[in-house]
């Protein structure tokens, strides 16, 4: 169904990507972000070459200093001559669909380093959802030969949790002085944290925040094999991020030795597959039915309380074995 | 099909700390529906071009008030050529004399906006000269 011109272009770009070509990598990331049809062709060529990179997710509330921590982590990793890919997800987008992506500002000292590839990602236009787009971007960076991939995202909503939840090690960055705010972020974020960072640790409230996190961890009814360490950093002054990297490596070692890494990656692939399948089901089964005038009429009827929402759903997607026919 | 998602990198190059204008333009482009990657102050041409390649932008918008435009623009154009990225449009804004505007355009800078240009003009220019070519070029 595609013309061979597009197939040929994608094939050439994919070959170049696998040789580490940065221009091709930039191009292909746009292609997977924009165009659902080529994704399959790209993944078929690229997927066998992935699974080599170690993926570290960094999340936390706005203003925690995530981008600065990432910037410092890049420095630490480059000193060990590791090649670093970064996916900086910034879901803040006004209603126009436009966005200003500014995470790079903190990382520009690495812009011209051939061992670093940084890509910013906004929220719009991802047919399969932001998490899938970020995950696929990480796969492309993996395939082009990056050793470590850092995925940064604001940890506020479910989709952002999914993004960093797909990492091998998830680091939660928390600013000092959140007080009861640590309680507020407990739901969801505490569960995915493998490592905590209290950034801006020179702030008077920092020790209080460390104590709050420790308290929350203690309340966990079933202490896991891995108790998330709390690392203090002052990323703007190059403090603590070397220690953070040592802790991440220790976590990696734990995951590898316990077999947990294999289990995690398997669950990640499963979620990815289910996610892709859901998008396709929605597009093929649900969307055509939602675009009809009958559906519009049923919404009106439901709004006027003539029928209830469940009755509408029963007509759109009947509860029977041949549903979706 | 493609979403027609147009990405523009906005940067301040060289030793010039005045970022008010570039931020105003970045916001205007965002409000017009573009995805703007803002890279901040004091960028070298190497940083700008490498970021543009990694971000796969359709255009680079450079703000320059330092007077170094006749050095920095040509350097960016030649780096883009080295990276097989001449399809990335380069436009700019700043205090740039008319004669230099003509020279820069002859070198391949797509457009220069000088003091007095409105954000409406800039957005419209990006829409016509970057938006459409970017979409049809995919």
């Amino acid at each position: 169904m595609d013309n061979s011109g597009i197939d040929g272009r994608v094939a050439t770009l994919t070959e170049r990507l696998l040789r580490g070509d940065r221009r091709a990598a930039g191009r292909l990331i746009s292609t997977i972000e924009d165009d659902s049809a080529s994704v399959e062709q790209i993944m078929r060529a690229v997927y066998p070459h992935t699974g080599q990179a170690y993926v570290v997710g960094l999340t936390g509330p706005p203003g925690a200093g995530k981008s600065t921590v990432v910037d410092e982590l890049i420095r630490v990793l480059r000193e060990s001559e590791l090649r670093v890919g970064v996916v900086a997800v910034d879901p803040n987008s006004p209603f126009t669909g436009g966005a200003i992506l500014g995470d790079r500002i903190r990382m520009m000292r690495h812009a011209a380093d051939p061992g670093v590839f940084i890509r910013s990602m906004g929220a719009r236009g991802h047919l399969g959802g932001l998490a899938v787009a970020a995950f696929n971007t990480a796969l492309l960076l993996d395939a082009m030969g990056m050793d470590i991939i850092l995925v940064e995202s604001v940890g506020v909503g479910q989709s952002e949790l999914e993004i960093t939840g797909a990492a091998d090690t998830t680091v939660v960055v928390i600013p000092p002085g959140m007080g009861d705010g640590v309680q507020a972020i407990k739901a969801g974020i505490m569960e995915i944290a493998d490592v905590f960072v209290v950034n801006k640790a020179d702030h008077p409230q920092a020790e209080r925040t460390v104590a709050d996190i420790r308290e929350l961890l203690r309340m966990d009814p079933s202490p896991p094999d891995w108790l998330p360490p709390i690392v203090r950093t002052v990323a703007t002054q190059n403090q603590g991020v070397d220690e953070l990297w040592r802790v991440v490596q220790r976590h990696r070692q734990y995951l590898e030795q316990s077999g947990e890494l294999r289990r995690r990656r398997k669950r990640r692939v499963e979620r990815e597959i289910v996610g892709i399948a859901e998008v396709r089901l929605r597009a093929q089964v649900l969307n055509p039915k939602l675009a009809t005038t009958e559906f519009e009429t049923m919404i009106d009827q439901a709004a006027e309380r003539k029928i209830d929402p469940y009755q509408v759903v029963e007509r759109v997607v009947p509860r029977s074995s041949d549903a979706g026919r | 099909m493609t979403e027609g998602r147009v990405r523009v990198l906005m940067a301040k190059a060289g030793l010039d700390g005045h970022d008010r204008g570039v931020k105003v333009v970045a916001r205007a482009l965002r409000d017009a529906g573009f995805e703007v990657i803002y890279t901040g102050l004091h960028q070298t041409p190497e940083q700008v071009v490498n970021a543009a390649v990694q971000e796969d932008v359709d255009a680079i918008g450079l703000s320059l008030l330092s007077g170094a435009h006749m050095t920095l623009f040509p350097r960016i154009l030649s780096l883009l050529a080295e990276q097989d990225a001449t399809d990335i449009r380069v436009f700019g804004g700043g205090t740039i004399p008319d004669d230099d505007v003509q020279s820069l355009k002859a070198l391949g800078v797509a457009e220069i906006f000088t003091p007095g240009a409105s954000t409406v003009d800039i957005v419209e220019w990006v829409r016509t000269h970057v938006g459409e070519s970017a979409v049809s070029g995919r």
Side-chain angles (χ1 to χ4, degrees):
Chain A
M1 65 186 218
D2 279 313
N3 69 55
S4 59
I6 293 175
D7 285 355
R9 175 184 163 274
V10 167
T12 311
L13 284 174
T14 309
E15 278 167 32
R16 285 170 56 191
L17 170 93
L18 293 175
R19 292 198 305 267
D21 183 306
R22 303 157 76 74
R23 179 78 172 135
R27 275 278 140 105
L28 281 175
I29 294 170
S30 299
T31 308
I32 60 163
E33 272 197 276
D34 286 348
D35 181 8
S36 66
S38 302
V39 174
E40 292 172 30
Q41 190 196 343
I42 295 169
M43 279 303 151
R44 202 166 307 142
V46 160
Y47 200 72
H49 302 274
T50 62
Q52 308 301 315
Y54 194 78
V55 184
V56 179
L58 292 103
T59 189
K66 295 177 293 296
S67 299
T68 314
V69 171
V70 169
D71 173 63
E72 260 297 287
L73 257 184
I74 299 172
R75 179 190 64 79
V76 171
L77 295 168
R78 292 300 293 146
E79 278 175 7
S80 310
E81 293 183 7
L82 292 163
R83 289 157 57 82
V84 189
V86 177
V87 188
V89 183
D90 191 345
N92 298 324
S93 217
F95 297 107
T96 60
I100 294 180
L101 308 176
D103 290 327
R104 273 194 93 95
I105 298 175
R106 313 262 175 255
M107 310 172 197
M108 281 309 280
R109 63 171 159 159
H110 305 293
D113 180 344
V116 178
F117 192 105
I118 302 169
R119 180 67 175 226
S120 315
M121 187 172 283
R124 71 175 161 143
H126 301 117
L127 295 172
L130 193 52
V132 170
F135 184 80
N136 285 344
T137 300
L139 283 179
L140 293 188
L141 297 178
D142 183 349
M144 80 180 287
M146 295 301 166
D147 301 305
I148 306 290
I149 294 163
L150 308 174
V151 182
E152 175 195 342
S153 170
V154 180
V156 279
Q158 191 55 43
S159 67
E160 292 76 48
L161 287 182
E162 282 171 22
I163 292 165
T164 32
D168 295 323
T169 295
T170 298
V171 177
V172 174
V173 184
I174 294 178
M178 284 199 70
D180 291 342
V182 175
Q183 281 285 357
I185 59 164
K186 183 181 180 228
I189 253 188
M190 293 302 277
E191 285 81 350
I192 62 163
D194 300 308
V195 178
F196 284 97
V197 166
V198 174
N199 191 32
K200 311 182 188 184
D202 52 349
H203 189 281
Q205 294 280 320
E207 284 314 305
R208 174 77 226 196
T209 303
V210 170
D212 284 347
I213 296 168
R214 197 166 282 147
E215 190 57 35
L216 280 174
L217 291 173
R218 205 170 287 142
M219 287 194 304
D220 199 323
S222 55
D225 302 336
W226 172 266
L227 188 70
I230 306 169
V231 182
R232 296 167 181 82
T233 62
V234 188
T236 51
Q237 291 168 34
N238 310 348
Q239 286 171 25
V241 180
D242 294 271
E243 170 65 12
L244 169 61
W245 179 239
R246 278 193 290 275
V247 168
V248 170
Q249 282 174 295
R250 218 167 69 221
H251 183 243
R252 178 180 188 168
Q253 216 169 29
Y254 154 75
L255 290 178
E256 283 170 353
Q257 285 168 1
S258 62
E260 180 63 20
L261 186 62
R262 215 156 44 85
R263 283 192 292 275
R264 261 187 198 207
R265 289 188 167 181
K266 186 180 166 187
R267 278 199 303 271
R268 182 207 296 172
V269 171
E270 180 185 359
R271 275 200 304 269
E272 169 93 348
I273 292 167
V274 172
I276 296 166
E278 280 174 356
V279 170
R280 183 169 296 184
L281 267 180
R282 192 173 218 292
Q284 289 184 352
V285 179
L286 196 54
N287 287 355
K289 299 193 175 184
L290 302 187
T292 60
T293 49
E294 288 93 326
F295 181 64
E296 204 57 42
T297 312
M298 285 189 279
I299 296 175
D300 285 334
Q301 290 172 336
E304 290 160 16
R305 302 297 190 271
K306 288 177 183 155
I307 51 174
D308 69 71
Y310 285 88
Q311 287 173 295
V312 177
V313 172
E314 183 56 32
R315 288 182 211 172
V316 176
V317 196
R319 193 196 291 272
S320 63
S321 56
D322 57 356
R325 194 173 51 187
Chain B
M1 265 312 289
T2 65
E3 295 282 314
R5 192 181 49 103
V6 175
R7 288 161 72 90
V8 180
L9 183 134
M10 298 294 290
K12 289 286 300 181
L15 299 171
D16 159 13
H18 303 277
D19 60 354
R20 183 75 187 221
V22 71
K23 283 179 172 167
V24 169
V25 174
R27 289 180 71 104
L29 289 171
R30 176 199 70 183
D31 292 344
F34 297 101
E35 219 163 67
V36 179
I37 292 108
Y38 181 56
T39 61
L41 292 166
H42 309 310
Q43 302 301 305
T44 64
E46 285 76 9
Q47 286 175 313
V48 170
V49 170
N50 277 291
V53 164
Q54 291 168 32
E55 299 288 356
D56 190 33
V57 294
D58 304 292
I60 297 171
L62 209 61
S63 162
L64 254 168
L65 299 167
S66 65
H69 47 268
M70 293 309 288
T71 314
L72 294 171
F73 275 111
R75 181 78 185 130
I76 282 175
L77 290 171
S78 73
L79 286 170
L80 283 172
E82 273 174 33
Q83 301 239 20
D84 175 32
T86 47
D87 57 310
I88 298 178
R89 299 292 180 90
V90 178
F91 68 103
T95 45
I96 297 172
D98 282 348
D99 288 355
D100 290 352
V101 169
Q102 295 316 316
S103 317
L104 289 172
K105 282 189 173 176
L107 284 171
V109 175
E111 188 58 275
I112 298 279
F113 297 93
T114 50
S118 73
T119 53
V120 176
D121 295 340
I122 298 171
V123 165
E124 197 43 47
W125 184 87
V126 173
R127 207 192 298 279
T128 355
H129 292 86
V130 180
E132 287 174 6
S133 63
V135 172
S136 61
R138 291 252 163 102

